[in-house]
């Protein structure tokens, strides 16, 4: 039996009451958001005839999500991170702002406080012996197209098991392995040595993967490298590159792949290249230039403040 009570005066007044709209204390913005989300949930329960059993499974699910700290993982999995990016892109388009290097999602695994280096850094500690050496470099440019010395390039990526330091269930990685902050040199250049990462997979026994299973979806990302790039007079860029050739490049559960963010990966086997990089064997090379956008009326109008781990 299906009933529909959402539009009754009784339920509408109840929503106002439960959202605190009848109280002078509290926060008006919170009240407006809670009123809207609660109303949408009540309406969905009515429209879809969501059963009590389904509802309580949902409550238990939210608890599991918190217990496993996976809210920040489900969010990109359901496309919400990508949607927020789409909104920022649309805002930029409306303002006539170009982003020569596209933004893409931050993801849940950034850690503030990585060691800083000038111009060049080695990201990995050499202990991931399955790793294929990677040399990545490029020039950071300002909105005027000129190279930006002293720009800050924050970079973080996973190891060959798809695990990030500080979030590695094996406990194998030391703090800030494969995380660095590189300050660009006088020519706006950044460069790092690391290993080619492997794609991330959601914890197979976790609540995010459980919901994805219900949706008939996988929970894997192509191999990728994250960046925050910032410089005075410019907006902070949050982006990633995907490792070219990864079979999931166009099938990312977190929807972070974008045109312009899959630079070619070139295998270098010649002695000259190996010697020029101080290496002793073949390596992969990625060249990736980054162009920032200017502040808008003197401010970064899209700076994202979110709770982040700081070690
Ligand atoms: C990641 O490494 C990531 O970047 C995102 C968006 C989600 C899960 C793991
Ligand atoms: Fe990631």
């Amino acid at each position: 039996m299906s009933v529909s009570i959402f539009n009754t005066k009784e339920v509408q007044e109840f929503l106002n009451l439960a959202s605190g709209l009848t109280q002078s204390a509290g926060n008006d913005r919170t009240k407006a958001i809670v009123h809207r989300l609660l109303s949408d949930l009540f309406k969905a329960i009515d429209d879809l005839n969501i059963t009590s059993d389904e509802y309580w499974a949902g409550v238990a699910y939210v608890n599991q999500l918190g217990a496993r700290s996976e809210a920040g993982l489900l969010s990109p999995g359901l496309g919400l991170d990508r949607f927020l990016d789409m909104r920022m892109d649309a805002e930029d388009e409306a303002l006539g702002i170009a982003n020569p290097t596209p933004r893409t999602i931050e993801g849940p695994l950034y850690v503030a406080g990585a060691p800083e280096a000038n111009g060049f850094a080695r990201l990995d500690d050499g202990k991931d012996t399955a790793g294929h050496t990677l040399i990545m470099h490029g020039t950071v440019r300002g909105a005027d197209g000129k190279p930006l010395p002293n720009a800050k390039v924050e970079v973080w990526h996973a190891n060959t098991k798809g695990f990030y330091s500080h979030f590695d269930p094996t406990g194998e990685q030391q703090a800030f392995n494969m995380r660095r902050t590189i300050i660009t040199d006088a020519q706006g250049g950044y460069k790092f040595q690391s290993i080619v990462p492997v794609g991330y997979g959601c914890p197979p026994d976790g609540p995010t993967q459980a919901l994805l299973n219900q949706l008939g979806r996988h929970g894997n990302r192509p191999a990728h490298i994250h960046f925050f790039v910032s410089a005075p007079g410019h907006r902070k860029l949050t982006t990633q590159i995907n490792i070219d050739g990864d079979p999931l490049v166009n099938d990312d559960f977190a929807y972070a792949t974008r045109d312009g963010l899959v630079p070619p990966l070139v295998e270098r086997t010649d002695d000259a290249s190996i010697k020029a990089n101080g290496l002793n064997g073949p390596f992969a090379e990625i060249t990736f230039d980054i162009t920032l956008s200017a502040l808008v009326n003197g401010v970064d109008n899209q700076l994202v403040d979110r709770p982040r781990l700081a070690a």
Side-chain angles (χ1 to χ4, degrees):
M1 160 89 181
S2 180
V3 297
S4 185
I5 61 170
F6 180 74
N7 283 315
T8 62
K9 185 163 175 276
E10 186 188 3
V11 169
Q12 290 303 310
E13 283 177 0
F14 184 45
L15 279 165
N16 290 341
L17 198 65
S19 306
L21 292 179
T22 58
Q23 302 293 325
S24 55
N27 180 290
D28 287 342
R29 178 68 174 163
T30 307
K31 291 179 188 187
I33 293 170
V34 168
H35 180 262
R36 175 57 185 271
L37 293 179
L38 200 54
S39 297
D40 287 354
L41 182 56
F42 277 30
K43 191 171 188 314
I45 291 172
D46 236 15
D47 290 351
L48 302 176
N49 204 22
I50 292 174
T51 66
S52 292
D53 291 9
E54 287 170 333
Y55 176 75
W56 292 114
V59 170
Y61 183 81
V62 171
N63 278 334
Q64 288 161 13
L65 208 55
R68 294 288 297 263
S69 298
E70 286 194 10
L73 183 59
L74 181 65
S75 173
L78 291 180
L80 285 149
D81 301 30
R82 174 71 191 130
F83 180 63
L84 294 177
D85 274 2
M86 288 175 177
R87 284 180 45 80
M88 287 196 278
D89 285 352
E91 222 179 282
D92 280 350
E93 198 178 322
L95 292 171
I97 297 168
N99 290 290
T101 305
R103 67 165 54 82
T104 196
I105 70 170
E106 172 180 334
L109 304 176
Y110 171 80
V111 181
E116 244 185 61
N118 288 312
F120 172 88
R122 178 158 179 191
L123 274 50
D124 71 304
D125 60 12
K127 290 185 187 152
D128 191 338
T129 50
H132 181 43
T133 302
L134 169 69
I135 296 286
M136 179 163 171
H137 57 93
T139 301
V140 177
R141 293 194 176 81
D144 59 3
K146 292 190 186 135
L148 275 177
N150 291 315
K152 196 194 251 191
V153 178
E154 295 179 79
V155 52
W156 69 104
H157 70 78
N159 67 6
T160 62
K161 294 176 177 162
F163 294 142
Y164 287 78
S165 74
H166 304 84
F167 301 93
D168 187 335
T170 71
E172 274 169 10
Q173 296 186 68
Q174 53 191 30
F176 294 111
N177 192 31
M178 303 181 201
R179 301 177 184 272
R180 288 295 183 278
T181 296
I182 302 168
I183 308 298
T184 56
D185 65 21
Q187 288 75 43
Y190 76 89
K191 183 174 181 178
F192 61 83
Q193 176 185 335
S194 195
I195 56 170
V196 179
V198 165
Y200 172 93
C202 291
D205 62 345
T208 300
Q209 188 58 56
L211 181 58
L212 293 171
N213 290 345
Q214 293 274 316
L215 303 179
R217 293 178 46 201
H218 70 72
N220 300 307
R221 300 207 59 207
H224 60 278
I225 300 174
H226 296 266
F227 296 91
F228 284 156
V229 187
S230 50
H234 291 82
R235 303 195 299 179
K236 175 178 166 182
L237 174 67
T238 301
T239 196
Q240 308 178 24
I241 60 119
N242 284 339
I243 300 301
D244 192 21
D246 188 304
L248 291 180
V249 156
N250 290 305
D251 189 14
D252 176 7
F253 101 98
Y255 307 107
T257 305
R258 306 198 63 181
D259 288 347
L261 299 180
V262 193
L265 179 149
V266 183
E267 291 294 344
R268 301 282 184 205
T269 54
D270 61 288
D271 284 340
S273 301
I274 291 166
K275 280 214 184 71
N277 285 282
L279 301 172
N280 44 33
F283 66 98
E285 181 175 11
I286 297 173
T287 305
F288 185 66
D289 295 338
I290 297 164
T291 301
L292 300 181
S293 55
L295 295 176
V296 178
N297 300 320
V299 297
D300 186 339
N301 64 326
Q302 294 186 326
L303 191 62
V304 176
D305 186 18
R306 62 184 270 185
R308 295 181 176 100
L309 194 65

